[in-house]
Amino acid sequence: MKIGFIGTGVMGGAMALNLIKKGYSLNVFNRTKSKAQTLLDNGAIWKDSVKDVANSSDVIISIVSFPKDVEQIYFGPEGILENAQRGSIAIDMATSDPELDKKIYEQGKKSGIAALDAPVSGGDVGAQKGTLCIMVGGDEKVYEEVLPILKAMGSTIVYQGGAGAGQQCKMANQIALAATAMGVVEAFAFADKAGLDREKVFKILSSGGADSWQLEAYAPRIFKKDFGPGFYIKLLVKDLSIAKSEAKLMGLNLQALNLSDSLYQGLIDEGMGDLGMQALIKLFEKD
Amino acid sequence: MKIGFIGTGVMGGAMALNLIKKGYSLNVFNRTKSKAQTLLDNGAIWKDSVKDVANSSDVIISIVSFPKDVEQIYFGPEGILENAQRGSIAIDMATSDPELDKKIYEQGKKSGIAALDAPVSGGDVGAQKGTLCIMVGGDEKVYEEVLPILKAMGSTIVYQGGAGAGQQCKMANQIALAATAMGVVEAFAFADKAGLDREKVFKILSSGGADSWQLEAYAPRIFKKDFGPGFYIKLLVKDLSIAKSEAKLMGLNLQALNLSDSLYQGLIDEGMGDLGMQALIKLFEKD
């Protein structure tokens, strides 16, 4: 069996390497070839286009940044759906629009290509260690078929339901974590203004009902003024925008989501999209 | 040494019992005497008023519900400050207004009474087990003097700074946890509307960046439609209101705090103040 892998950036590169380590043979393509070099050094075969990956692989995995990139690699004469063989399986592991993945699923069905949406969480460290969370939408039988492949990349893998359900679960995840991040940042903005010692406040917050992954991961970085990613603000806002439009489609008014989206969008407007999400504290500290 | 204990409700009763277990002898008073019965059965001495507790104890601990109750037991001719002996120490363990505790501290100083603010977190379970978080404001020397007493009630005890700093730390804590709770609730509102399985979504959220104490404690209760306290909405809104007025005093605009306060206030307006804070999900589910 050949696995095609499209998108070998920080996340995809580490995930693909784990597949190689588990013995899978890979065809790879990336817009910037140099970013695939480690994989090629480890035995992956370079392909010159999405099309070439698609028509030479049994399972085609893609992880690219934005929905428009997903659209580009799936649709059109050079895309996965046009060029993959009947009976192949395409897995979109980017965080993307559930509606888009439903469309891919439907169109794939017509061409005999099974499509799954399988976005991940866990960041670059999870990708490297093979401990990602993977949330999967699509046909359950297809999910079961590729489960061994997913297990090479993640440790918590949950089938969520039909096409788009993986993306929807990811949206729920992002809604929760963005609100939590707001709370962490406002707590320290308050503590700072009150003249409290951040480390002492952290000791209390991390010991009880205010504790969270966001607090544990980002408060120490905030204290050190380390605003690098981690998780890019521009990608978080992409996710929150998708969540907002999904919520709108469903007739849901999620005020904390709207607020987190608007606060983070404000940082992008000030040129901070390439910082990590802990830079939300910059709403309150100007240096 | 005699410890006076005022306010023997769910929290205070359990905390006072831990003091008795550690060998301290207690004078107790509570508005409703029956709630002090367990303590009396365990050797505590009943006093008929705040005044009687104050003038017969070396350390006077109080934990009552609202700032107006704190005001009532501290000030006026029947209050702690008027009736405690010179050299005694008064510890306000309620979650209350930092400005009020600063006032108590200043007025106590004039009468030779040392005052600490030492609000707690950790809920009824923490109170029972003696594992509360206690955040302390006031003079550090006084804090050190009563530390053995605090250790009988809590396991994470952090001196935060001058008078009011304990309360301010508690406000930071509540700001963080209320925003987190909004995120948890909106995530499941979204998941529900998308038709996802709550347990499967929980499995993902609890495994990564969306994980939090709020998620772990309250999602399972939300799933079981268990809306009992836990932590009363009416008390949370008290805390958030104090935090809001403190933030205003400091010239801080905390939008997530404002939002959580207004959402929870909305539940109180609908008669849900006696439910636990996980009942925020009722914004989205009407049954």
Side-chain angles (χ1 to χ4, degrees), chain A residues 186-188 190-192 194-206 210, chain B residues 95-96 98 117-121 133-137 156-177 239 242-243 246 250:
Chain A
E186 290 197 356
F188 285 104
F190 183 97
D192 287 351
L196 302 182
D197 178 315
R198 284 174 161 187
E199 294 286 355
K200 289 179 173 179
V201 173
F202 177 73
K203 199 165 171 194
I204 291 292
L205 269 55
S206 62
Chain B
T95 296
S96 180
D117 48 294
V120 305
S121 74
C133 293
I134 308 178
M135 42 223 105
V136 187
T156 304
I157 303 163
V158 184
Y159 175 72
Q160 295 287 339
Q167 298 295 354
Q168 284 165 326
C169 180
K170 180 68 188 275
M171 294 304 123
N173 193 75
Q174 305 304 77
I175 290 167
L177 71 77
D239 298 352
I242 295 169
E246 274 288 289
M250 304 192 294

Side-chain angles (χ1 to χ4, degrees), chain A residues 237-254:
Chain A
V237 169
K238 173 199 70 171
D239 298 352
L240 297 177
S241 303
I242 295 169
K244 266 181 75 175
S245 64
E246 273 289 288
K248 201 175 164 189
L249 267 181
M250 303 191 296
L252 256 187
N253 180 24
L254 301 179

Side-chain angles (χ1 to χ4, degrees), chain B residues 23-24 26 73 75-76 81 91 118 136 139 188 196 202 216 228 241 246 258 269 280:
Chain B
Y24 291 104
L26 259 61
I73 63 171
F75 295 100
L81 293 172
I91 312 176
V136 187
D139 292 341
F188 285 104
L196 302 182
F202 177 73
E216 300 283 345
S241 303
E246 274 288 289
N258 293 343
D269 295 345
L280 190 64

